[in-house]
Amino acid sequence: VQLQASGGGTVQAGGSLRLSCTASGRTYVMGWFRQAPGKEREFVASINWNGRSTVADSVKGRFTISRGNAQNTVYLQMNSLKPEDTGVYYCAARSAYGSTWYSERTDYNYWGRGTQVTVSS
């Protein structure tokens, strides 16, 4: 399975961006992680094939994850962006069956290349 992410860019604080990620094959769970310079990659959001989803506390109320009708596309709508949201955003997918969302990097076996998000103050 290959993952292709898009939608990153530069935006001012308070602005919005929408990330998209399309998988070349079937996946049960898709998620987003991000990595800021000098920091470890951290969980952002996850959604299961049945629609169960969650987002990290740091983005709750501002970010929303959703899946497209074809189930192989995931979106991350990011509103009220802050400078601390800056980083490389990675799309991830899990091909093993699961009935919920997953927030650990080791739960995912496919990763996209990442797309840069920069929020200026």
Side-chain angles (χ1 to χ4, degrees):
V1 175
Q2 293 184 330
L3 304 177
Q4 182 66 47
S6 62
T10 299
V11 64
Q12 288 189 334
S16 298
L17 284 173
R18 189 192 196 205
L19 305 183
S20 301
C21 178
T22 299
S24 62
R26 181 175 184 174
T27 63
Y28 284 100
V29 184
M30 297 186 76
W32 291 96
F33 290 73
R34 67 186 181 187
Q35 187 167 16
K39 295 188 177 182
E40 290 194 357
R41 193 172 299 186
E42 64 175 4
F43 171 75
V44 176
S46 174
I47 188 166
N48 192 280
W49 63 272
N50 57 15
R52 292 186 178 181
S53 65
T54 192
V55 298
D57 288 343
S58 60
V59 304
K60 196 163 291 184
R62 301 188 297 120
F63 290 13
T64 303
I65 187 170
S66 61
R67 294 191 80 150
N69 291 334
Q71 289 290 313
N72 66 334
T73 300
V74 64
Y75 304 101
L76 185 67
Q77 179 66 44
M78 306 184 294
N79 299 327
S80 301
L81 282 161
K82 304 176 180 180
E84 50 263 44
D85 294 318
T86 294
V88 179
Y89 283 67
Y90 295 91
C91 176
R94 173 186 170 96
S95 58
Y97 176 80
S99 61
T100 185
W101 42 264
Y102 295 84
S103 61
E104 298 294 329
R105 287 180 292 175
T106 52
D107 291 324
Y108 296 84
N109 51 338
Y110 296 104
W111 292 84
R113 287 187 176 181
T115 183
Q116 177 70 43
V117 171
T118 302
V119 184
S120 59
S121 58

